[in-house]
Amino acid sequence: MSVLSRRGVFLAALLGAGGAVGCTTGPDERRPEPEVPAVNGLSTPTAPPMPPYLQSFFGDELIMRRRGAFGLDDVTVELPEAGCAWKHSRVRYPKGSASQLSVEQDGAPSGGAQVYLQFRDGPADDLYLSYRVRFQDGFQFARGGKLPGFFGGTHVAGGNTPDGTNGFSTRYMWRAGGKGQVYAYLPRSKDYGTTLGLGSWKFVPGRWVAIQQRVRLNSPQLGDGSVTVWVDGSEVFHQDGLFYRSTPALRIEGVFFSTFFGGDDLSWASPVDQYADFATFVVSDRFIQAGPAGSC
């Protein structure tokens, strides 16, 4: 990852270029993870260092939080296709794979990948995240799965509901038929994450789409936060009145690169071997012009 400015952050290795609003809960991927003490706002790693090629892949401007990571050895970087300006990362979802909980409890094959990527130059309260995603031709969405978003703190997934001081996240999900949504872990979530904007946009297999979210955290103790989503530059969803935090110490710490089928049981599993591609990850303090996909 290279930094153009504090609020123009690119994940270089991934770049390769150098409906109605719902407020219902949904299933998630694994059992709650234990708290990890923070040092200077960054979580203490508890696993061996990542392989050097992965550090190079994600870049020096991101700190990889090794707790909670999986599947990275199976992520590949593909060269640009004809007429395309960027490399992309490919994440595979083997037949029968779902969440890591399914791996542990049901013996399912591991699929997808996950890592917490923290900003080296510190957190923020209002940021945009843009990236491109392409599901392979004929992709079978089944019940649904996760896609990357922002996070802060440690209570961000796995049924580990935050209390306003210890975490939040704003991943996306794809759902049956390719319907999109924001899947947010918030203090007012119940059991798992909160569904926002289900069906406000739709993913089409075989086609690159640039998806962008803006997360504006609330003033502590006030429910004045928001999330906005754009698809290929057009706004498709906006939600005001969100409560992310009760303390100013909780901020946007980084990108939650998280993608897999699920869901917390095998009813969410991928029906066949398949994959999705990711590219052009950008974080900024202003709207990001992704540009056309061209012939990619």
Side-chain angles (χ1 to χ4, degrees), residues 45-58:
T46 59
M50 287 288 183
Y53 83 92
L54 282 178
Q55 185 64 63
S56 175
F57 177 78
F58 289 118

Side-chain angles (χ1 to χ4, degrees), residues 232-269:
D232 288 335
S234 297
E235 183 176 323
V236 295
F237 174 68
H238 176 81
Q239 176 71 47
D240 286 316
L242 294 178
F243 187 83
Y244 292 98
R245 60 181 181 172
S246 58
T247 171
L250 182 60
R251 308 179 74 193
I252 304 169
E253 291 182 37
V255 176
F256 190 6
F257 188 90
S258 175
T259 181
F260 54 90
F261 274 76
D264 61 353
D265 60 49
L266 292 180
S267 70
W268 294 81

Side-chain angles (χ1 to χ4, degrees), residues 73-177:
D73 289 339
D74 297 323
V75 177
T76 60
V77 179
E78 309 291 327
L79 294 174
E81 299 167 351
C84 190
W86 58 77
K87 295 179 183 178
H88 57 271
S89 64
R90 178 160 293 177
V91 179
R92 292 172 172 82
Y93 316 100
K95 179 179 179 180
S97 66
S99 66
Q100 290 297 289
L101 184 61
S102 296
V103 175
E104 297 165 7
Q105 294 189 347
D106 304 313
S110 184
Q114 179 171 288
V115 64
Y116 298 84
L117 303 170
Q118 295 173 295
F119 306 132
R120 184 178 294 277
D121 55 350
D125 297 326
D126 186 349
L127 284 177
Y128 297 76
L129 166 65
S130 175
Y131 60 88
R132 287 182 170 90
V133 60
R134 179 181 61 183
F135 297 93
Q136 74 174 84
D137 280 326
F139 192 88
Q140 297 184 36
F141 293 101
R143 293 186 65 188
K146 306 298 193 301
L147 292 169
F150 280 130
F151 82 95
T154 57
H155 284 55
V156 302
N160 208 350
T161 305
D163 63 10
T165 69
N166 56 11
F168 66 87
S169 63
T170 59
R171 288 175 297 176
Y172 301 105
M173 285 189 72
W174 76 80
R175 298 300 295 265

Side-chain angles (χ1 to χ4, degrees), residues 191-261:
D191 298 325
Y192 296 100
T194 296
T195 294
L196 300 171
L198 176 61
S200 296
W201 71 93
K202 199 171 183 181
F203 296 106
V204 178
R207 184 175 74 83
W208 282 108
V209 60
I211 186 165
Q212 179 169 181
Q213 65 175 242
R214 179 191 183 186
V215 171
R216 181 173 58 82
L217 298 183
N218 60 294
S219 306
Q221 307 300 334
L222 298 179
D224 60 355
S226 66
V227 62
T228 309
V229 177
W230 295 263
V231 172
D232 288 335
S234 297
E235 183 176 323
V236 295
F237 174 68
H238 176 81
Q239 176 71 47
D240 286 316
L242 294 178
F243 187 83
Y244 292 98
R245 60 181 181 172
S246 58
T247 171
L250 182 60
R251 308 179 74 193
I252 304 169
E253 291 182 37
V255 176
F256 190 6
F257 188 90
S258 175
T259 181
F260 54 90
F261 274 76

Side-chain angles (χ1 to χ4, degrees), residues 21-34:
V21 175
C23 288
T24 58
T25 59
D28 203 7
E29 71 274 21
R30 55 184 298 137
R31 64 175 61 93
E33 296 176 352

